[in-house]
Amino acid sequence: MRPQELNLLMVFDAIMTEGSITRAADQLAMTQPAVSNAVARMRVVWRDELFVKDGRKIRPTRRALDLWDSVRQPLKNLERALDPSDYVPETSTRTFRVAAGVGVVDVSWPALRQVIENEAPGVSVHSIPYTILNGEQLLTNAEVDLVIAVTTLIAERPHLLSNYMYDTHYMCVMRAGHPLSQIELDLEAFSRADHLLVSLSGDISGFTDRVLAQHGLTRKIALTVNHFNVVAPILESSDLIAVVPTMTVEDAVKSGSLVARRSPVELASNTISAFWHQRQDRDPGLRWLRDRLGYVLKTRAEEHAQIMAEHIG
């Protein structure tokens, strides 16, 4: 069974138990539209209407009743199996779905995989595409178990819980030998340069541009990309400069092919957090993954801070 179908069964069980989509949404801490969307997916997957309107109520079809008879007890058994005292990472074969930006995946997945091989070799972690627009939706619709994102990019909701992971810091980077690497980088020189912008949303301006505008300045965004993997190769072979999280270009800075300069635009660090839905707050497997991922990211951030302290110009 695919994880999506198990999620649908959980929603289906709540509707059958409560006899109402609205009450099921309350029980699951989901929005009513999200539950209605899940019902629509059930109808496609299981090829039956499942629920029909009966005045102000809904009535399950014969197929829904038969299905509930088959899944109700196994779902209860599964819930009991997820009791914290029964979760054993060493023998777990669980698959986790995590939405995270490419930058987070690049800096943490290798170390996370080492942890999994040592502690839970049967566990799988699948990375799901994340944009700054879909984090809350992915959790609400039970499409992922965790979202790793900048804290301020996911709206505060009572049904979403979070843990601090690490802080990410920004600097201006450019190729070794770039004309601006030889001088003190001030606002005017910074604004006159051609810039590379990493934009996950497709926007061609950001916080840096708002700060420049306060000084009556603008900058030229000469090139945009939607992930961090290509930042170092592009900068190494061009006269572009970029303001990026330094962890994403650490190897290039260590090797000397890129140099890092403090940006003349004051940039606050971003706090990265792990988000999950409150319906999974007592899930021991997910708690284990959060703990391990938090350890990996915090350890990685501490190592990075030491490395950058030695290479900041």
Side-chain angles (χ1 to χ4, degrees), residues 82 87 92-96 122-125 145 280 283-286:
L82 291 175
Y87 184 74
S92 175
T93 57
R94 183 165 175 182
T95 296
F96 295 97
V123 163
S124 301
V125 177
D145 300 294
Q280 290 182 280
D283 181 333
L286 190 56

Side-chain angles (χ1 to χ4, degrees), residues 23 25-26 30 35 38 47 67 73 75 87 117 142 150 172 182 206-207 213 240 251 294 302 306:
R23 289 196 296 273
D26 291 339
M30 295 174 65
V35 174
R47 301 177 182 178
L67 180 61
Q73 191 57 48
L75 285 174
Y87 184 74
E117 290 183 357
V150 175
C172 183
Q182 312 301 320
F207 178 75
L240 295 172
D251 288 343
E302 291 172 359
Q306 294 177 356

Side-chain angles (χ1 to χ4, degrees), residues 89-91 110-122 288 292:
E90 293 85 351
T91 58
L112 178 62
R113 181 57 197 172
Q114 290 179 1
V115 171
I116 290 173
E117 290 183 357
N118 289 333
E119 298 185 17
W288 174 84
R292 298 307 183 269

Side-chain angles (χ1 to χ4, degrees), residues 245-286:
T246 51
M247 198 179 290
T248 63
V249 292
E250 179 188 285
D251 288 343
V253 172
K254 283 173 59 179
S255 72
S257 63
L258 293 183
V259 296
R261 294 286 183 264
R262 290 183 176 84
S263 170
V265 176
E266 187 174 347
L267 300 170
S269 61
N270 273 331
T271 296
I272 307 298
S273 295
F275 293 85
W276 66 96
H277 200 285
Q278 73 174 33
R279 76 173 80 89
Q280 290 182 280
D281 191 40
R282 298 182 62 188
D283 181 333
L286 190 56

Side-chain angles (χ1 to χ4, degrees), residues 84-114:
S85 61
D86 294 334
Y87 184 74
V88 181
E90 293 85 351
T91 58
S92 175
T93 57
R94 183 165 175 182
T95 296
F96 295 97
R97 293 166 61 84
V98 180
V102 173
V104 172
V105 172
D106 285 349
V107 303
S108 62
W109 254 229
L112 178 62
R113 181 57 197 172
Q114 290 179 1

Side-chain angles (χ1 to χ4, degrees), residues 204-248:
I204 57 172
S205 65
F207 178 75
T208 299
D209 300 279
R210 292 194 292 272
V211 175
L212 286 173
Q214 294 172 4
H215 295 272
L217 298 170
T218 60
R219 63 173 176 164
K220 177 184 175 182
I221 305 298
L223 192 67
T224 66
V225 294
N226 60 3
H227 56 85
F228 291 98
N229 301 37
V230 295
V231 169
I234 291 174
L235 294 182
E236 288 166 353
S237 60
S238 73
D239 279 336
L240 295 172
I241 68 173
V243 176
V244 294
T246 51
M247 198 179 290
T248 63

Side-chain angles (χ1 to χ4, degrees), residues 138-213:
L138 290 172
L139 290 170
T140 300
N141 293 347
E143 296 177 48
V144 298
D145 300 294
L146 280 180
V147 170
I148 312 297
V150 175
T151 303
T152 56
L153 292 182
I154 295 188
E156 290 189 11
R157 296 287 187 270
H159 60 277
L160 298 184
L161 306 175
S162 66
N163 269 354
Y164 166 80
M165 294 282 112
Y166 71 104
D167 290 327
T168 183
H169 301 278
Y170 293 80
M171 287 192 180
C172 183
V173 292
M174 63 199 76
R175 66 175 176 83
H178 191 290
L180 293 183
S181 68
Q182 312 301 320
I183 64 173
E184 183 177 348
L185 189 60
D186 59 23
L187 271 175
E188 289 193 5
F190 178 82
S191 65
R192 288 196 303 267
D194 288 343
H195 288 250
L196 167 66
L197 175 68
V198 180
S199 175
L200 301 181
S201 65
D203 292 337
I204 57 172
S205 65
F207 178 75
T208 299
D209 300 279
R210 292 194 292 272
V211 175
L212 286 173

